[in-house]
Amino acid sequence: MLGGFACSDYEVKNLTVEDVFEQTQDPPADVLFVVDNSQSMSEEQLRLSENFGTFVELLTTTTADYRLGVTTTDPAQGGVLVGEVITPDTPDPVVTFSTLVGVGTSGDRDEQGLAMAALGTREDVNLGFLRSDAVTHVVFVSDEDDHSPEANVQRYVDAMLQNKPGESLFAHALVGDPPAGCLGGTSAADAGTRYLEAVELIGGLRESICADDYGVGFEAIGLEVSGGNPVFPLSQLAARETIEVWVEEVKMYQREIDGWTSSIGDNAVVFSGHAIPRPGMGVRIAYQPG
């Protein structure tokens, strides 16, 4: 019997598979926040400032080179950035953004976020903001739908695509849920139908502005902006209970927050939050085939 157990153990060890990865380097990221500054936005702007730390922490731990700028949905602003551009050299980016995102509530009630994004991505409007080697992200934040004068959303999408100096452009929306809007603990919002159409046309993420906590939404958008790859597909179908994961030879916890989970559909290990490996880090995943 002892021999039988020893033989089984030897065979199991021989069946163990190890997949080794290296986290990819992140491209520079330029992010334009288009924030609604109409009368109904005071609570939402406060939640933006309170939850922005989640976004910045992801950028500072993954993307080494970023630029963040803020403009408003008010046509009188013309897409011009409010205040300074936030970079890795900004002494306290969270405090700075909290100040910038407080754009006030005296803006035009006919919010024109798409038109302001088309203007804000122009070089002659915001000189030197967008770079040719960076991925451009536009983040719309509004509790009402877009009222830009051009009825065809594709026109504004085409303008942004033409304006961007880099190879890639993504759009993300923190807006009201379709089809009829949404209610939150302290806020209500109309459906952001036109913003969501732009997201569908360009590609990006959508989050609800009625959420009581924007932390989850900011984390999702931050991961998208940072380019940090959270998904590591396995070379063979794995027995899930046998999976073990190391990053830089440090064994990682299996958990949904700041850890890793296994995705059955993708046959992959998926990292979350602060556990997502930084550029250049080695990842080793051991498992037995299932």
Side-chain angles (χ1 to χ4, degrees), residues 12-20 234-238 242-244 246 284-290:
V12 167
K13 286 182 178 178
N14 275 345
L15 285 173
T16 298
V17 176
E18 282 198 357
D19 292 338
V20 179
L234 304 178
S235 61
Q236 297 186 37
L237 185 65
T242 68
I243 298 174
E244 295 181 288
W246 294 264
R284 181 165 59 92
I285 303 173
Y287 55 93
Q288 294 172 24

Side-chain angles (χ1 to χ4, degrees), residues 107-202:
D108 197 305
R109 63 184 299 175
D110 288 328
E111 299 89 339
Q112 298 185 22
L114 291 175
M116 294 309 101
L119 287 172
T121 52
R122 282 173 44 174
E123 173 68 9
D124 60 339
V125 173
N126 291 308
L127 183 64
F129 175 50
L130 301 182
R131 298 165 291 176
S132 60
D133 62 340
V135 177
T136 301
H137 295 264
V138 179
V139 183
F140 298 103
V141 184
S142 178
D143 64 352
E144 295 188 39
D145 201 6
D146 172 72
H147 298 101
S148 299
E150 174 58 60
N152 190 347
V153 171
Q154 184 71 59
R155 297 287 183 88
Y156 295 112
V157 168
D158 290 342
M160 287 186 279
L161 289 170
Q162 184 176 358
N163 293 341
K164 70 171 181 61
E167 294 184 359
S168 300
L169 171 71
F170 297 95
H172 315 285
L174 188 64
V175 296
D177 303 322
C182 56
L183 290 172
T186 59
S187 61
D190 295 332
T193 306
R194 282 168 60 85
Y195 293 117
L196 294 175
E197 182 179 348
V199 171
E200 288 293 325
L201 290 169
I202 298 175

Side-chain angles (χ1 to χ4, degrees), residues 203-225:
L205 299 176
R206 48 182 281 185
E207 300 291 338
S208 176
I209 199 168
C210 292
D212 293 330
D213 184 349
Y214 292 165
V216 175
F218 261 141
E219 180 177 28
I221 294 173
L223 289 173
E224 188 78 8
V225 170

Side-chain angles (χ1 to χ4, degrees), residues 19-25 229 231-232 248 277-284:
D19 292 338
V20 179
F21 308 85
E22 182 175 319
Q23 179 66 294
T24 56
Q25 296 292 324
N229 175 36
V231 181
F232 291 80
E248 293 291 285
R278 294 192 292 275
M281 282 187 166
V283 177
R284 181 165 59 92

